[in-house]
Amino acid sequence: MNILILGGGGREHAMYLKIKNSSLAKNVYISPGNAGINDECRININIEDFDRVSQIVKEYDISLIVVGPEVPLVLGIKDYFKNAMPHLFVFGPDKKSAMLEGSKVFSDQFMKEAGIPAPMASSANNLDRAISIIEDGPLPIVIKADGLAAGKGVSIHHDKKSAITKLEDIFKDNIFGEAGKSVLIQEFLEGEESSLFALLNGKEALILPTARDYKAAYENNQGPNTGGMGSFSPGEALSSSHIQFACENIIKPVLDKFQYTGILYIGLMVDRENPEASKVLEFNCRFGDPETQSILPMIEGDIVPYLLWSCGNNDALIPKIKDDGFYKIPQKTGCALNVVIASNGYPSDYDKGIALNLPDTLPENIHIIHAGTEKISNKIVSNGGRVLNIVGYAKNLEESKNLVYKFIESLKKTSELSDFFYRNDIGSA
Ligand code: AMP
Ligand code: GLY
């Protein structure tokens, strides 16, 4: 079958490489993709324009669309094609389910109704109400813009003055536009943050390899929050007991309420010693970036049957493994680790168009996954904040870390990397 992937980051390049290896895939296309993908497989369209996507589906005889980022899902791409082309498989949740990511107030309301463990929270749709919540609440306190804010909508405040200033920025200066018409104000939770990814088909869940994401820009988890500066899989914080707890207390209620399909990404605050103390920080309706770049190399075999299974194709033959009370996708032993190379200045302002000289051949078990890159006059240049992902696979965390950092050192000999930065402590901090 012909498959179309939507998106242009590291997550989508990693998906492209995994899907391309499928025995079920004839041609794999990506919109818009990046410089890591051959020009003939890239289709440059606006992926939020579903009429245009639909023309491409017809023109390229696409049978499966795999949606990378959240925006098309929250805009209802699944519902659009359910009406327009009922035989097309669209991997991801429908619009109602995607609201779990699209609105933090909606998500909090659902968690309260379903009894899902989450931080205490109140919502407000005007400044006076929001300030009164802060005045009466404990510190630190977490303020979240209700809608999609490209990872910039959450702030943590240790004093009431800065919290009130933030609320004024949101309600008076409109810094988040529509996304800031309401806010969710949450209790601050201590603990270890961890991400759990489950593949759902409306009735059942399959757990994916776990991963650890590094959100802070700089070493020792200092500096501003980013989309993620590195990851490794499997992660270390979630035991089988944590996953079992999440299956019963988080995933089951989501399935019962939404008949959810696609990836459910659960951001959790956990206590390693006490799985039952786990609480949901957020839901996302898609794969994580950069977690996907380390999770996909850990999945054994072909991923396309799982994507079809999730879309409701009952013919899809999918091996699954029963663990302690839950099913998971078969995974490899060993560890995959991913270090992000970002433009200096990211996550704030940065330059684009900086030339990258990448080697033609790579050491065994090393992959360069492109993110913000573009081809200009046949030369690869930077085109975003997160530019490259260096992914290594080895028999354990220590070895994958050594493999990746050794390769980055060798890359510095052939490429000028002074306009870029990366964290030296992925897998250590
Ligand atoms: P979110 O987009 O809701 O996951 O928030 C972004 C980041 O803010 C999370 O990855 C956490 O690091 C942090 N965060 C969010 N909510 C809380 C909370 N209630 N307590 C502590 N940290 C939080
Ligand atoms: N790595 C965080 C995210 O994908 O939202």
Side-chain angles (χ1 to χ4, degrees):
M1 65 171 65
N2 293 336
I3 300 172
L4 173 65
I5 300 169
L6 301 183
R11 167 182 52 204
E12 289 80 18
H13 188 195
M15 285 173 167
Y16 173 84
L17 293 174
K18 184 80 179 162
I19 290 174
K20 205 162 60 90
N21 276 333
S22 168
S23 59
L24 299 177
K26 190 168 153 212
N27 296 301
V28 185
Y29 301 99
I30 181 161
S31 288
N34 56 37
I37 293 141
N38 289 340
D39 290 345
E40 59 272 20
C41 300
R42 294 179 65 186
I43 305 171
N44 197 7
I45 54 162
N46 172 7
I47 61 172
E48 289 159 30
D49 176 352
F50 302 153
D51 290 340
R52 186 74 188 102
V53 178
S54 148
Q55 287 169 350
I56 296 299
V57 167
K58 287 183 199 138
E59 198 177 319
Y60 290 80
D61 192 22
I62 300 295
S63 300
L64 168 65
I65 296 184
V66 182
V67 188
E70 60 278 13
V71 174
L73 294 164
V74 172
L75 291 175
I77 189 167
K78 178 105 169 175
D79 311 61
Y80 174 98
F81 281 106
K82 192 173 174 197
N83 289 324
M85 297 184 183
H87 298 297
L88 177 74
F89 292 115
V90 178
F91 176 73
D94 62 13
K95 187 173 181 169
K96 175 101 192 290
S97 312
M99 285 306 281
L100 287 173
E101 175 165 2
S103 165
K104 301 222 184 244
V105 174
F106 173 86
S107 176
D108 177 64
Q109 191 60 38
F110 161 66
M111 289 195 280
K112 283 187 175 122
E113 281 165 22
I116 293 177
M120 281 189 295
S122 304
S123 63
N125 60 9
N126 62 69
L127 183 60
D128 289 347
R129 159 95 181 120
I131 290 178
S132 74
I133 297 170
I134 299 287
E135 299 285 10
D136 297 342
L139 287 170
I141 196 96
V142 185
I143 300 178
K144 301 185 171 186
D146 177 42
L148 295 181
K152 299 197 174 102
V154 175
S155 54
I156 295 166
H157 300 271
H158 295 268
D159 62 276
K160 295 193 174 173
K161 191 163 168 272
S162 81
I164 292 171
T165 305
K166 185 75 185 194
L167 291 171
E168 286 170 347
D169 292 345
I170 296 174
F171 285 107
K172 284 191 182 158
D173 297 342
N174 242 337
I175 54 168
F176 296 126
E178 273 300 303
K181 289 275 180 253
S182 299
V183 293
L184 187 72
I185 300 176
Q186 266 186 346
E187 155 198 30
F188 175 84
L189 295 182
E190 304 276 358
E192 191 171 0
E193 226 183 306
S194 205
S195 312
L196 180 64
F197 295 87
L199 183 69
L200 274 56
N201 75 344
K203 299 189 222 70
E204 296 168 65
L206 282 173
I207 301 299
L208 272 71
T210 55
R212 163 84 195 269
D213 177 21
Y214 289 83
K215 285 211 164 84
Y218 312 132
E219 271 131 42
N220 296 317
N221 301 318
Q222 301 298 304
N225 252 11
T226 69
M229 291 298 295
S231 64
F232 66 85
S233 175
E236 291 170 322
L238 296 177
S239 65
S240 282
S241 307
H242 287 92
I243 298 174
Q244 203 174 344
F245 178 79
C247 284
E248 280 159 25
N249 297 281
I250 303 167
I251 296 173
K252 185 174 181 305
V254 170
L255 275 171
D256 287 348
K257 169 85 180 179
F258 296 99
Q259 293 76 50
Y260 191 104
T261 62
I263 288 289
L264 182 67
Y265 166 158
I266 309 166
L268 285 169
M269 196 61 99
V270 298
D271 175 345
R272 283 198 195 199
E273 308 306 321
N274 182 9
E276 303 200 357
S278 306
K279 290 189 178 168
V280 177
L281 292 182
E282 64 166 342
F283 285 118
N284 293 317
C285 61
R286 35 123 191 128
F287 271 113
D289 187 345
E291 295 96 319
T292 305
Q293 292 86 307
S294 54
I295 287 175
L296 294 185
M298 296 304 298
I299 292 179
E300 191 74 75
D302 194 343
I303 193 160
V304 173
Y306 290 100
L307 304 180
L308 293 172
W309 171 84
S310 165
C311 292
N313 181 340
N314 296 326
D315 300 334
L317 289 177
I318 48 154
K320 49 188 184 183
I321 291 177
K322 181 100 192 271
D323 206 319
D324 303 323
F326 58 90
Y327 284 100
K328 60 183 190 185
I329 289 187
Q331 61 175 290
K332 294 180 194 159
T333 55
C335 176
L337 181 130
N338 169 29
V339 174
V340 171
I341 298 186
S343 303
N344 285 343
Y346 173 77
S348 298
D349 296 340
Y350 50 81
D351 291 333
K352 291 182 184 177
I354 298 161
L356 292 157
N357 293 314
L358 302 176
D360 293 330
T361 54
L362 296 173
E364 200 182 351
N365 291 326
I366 282 281
H367 291 279
I368 298 181
I369 308 284
H370 288 235
T373 64
E374 203 34 280
K375 241 184 237 159
I376 294 184
S377 310
N378 250 340
K379 291 226 153 58
I380 297 177
V381 298
S382 65
N383 190 40
R386 291 185 290 176
V387 176
L388 297 172
N389 300 259
I390 309 300
V391 181
Y393 167 79
K395 70 171 189 280
N396 56 40
L397 175 60
E398 209 50 38
E399 290 194 16
S400 60
K401 199 164 65 184
N402 291 340
L403 184 68
V404 169
Y405 282 112
K406 198 169 144 211
F407 175 70
I408 293 177
E409 284 308 313
S410 74
L411 196 59
K412 282 190 197 159
K413 293 191 186 120
T414 54
S415 309
E416 178 55 70
L417 288 186
S418 59
D419 290 308
F420 304 100
F421 75 102
Y422 60 90
R423 280 183 57 161
N424 253 309
D425 61 352
I426 304 300
S428 310

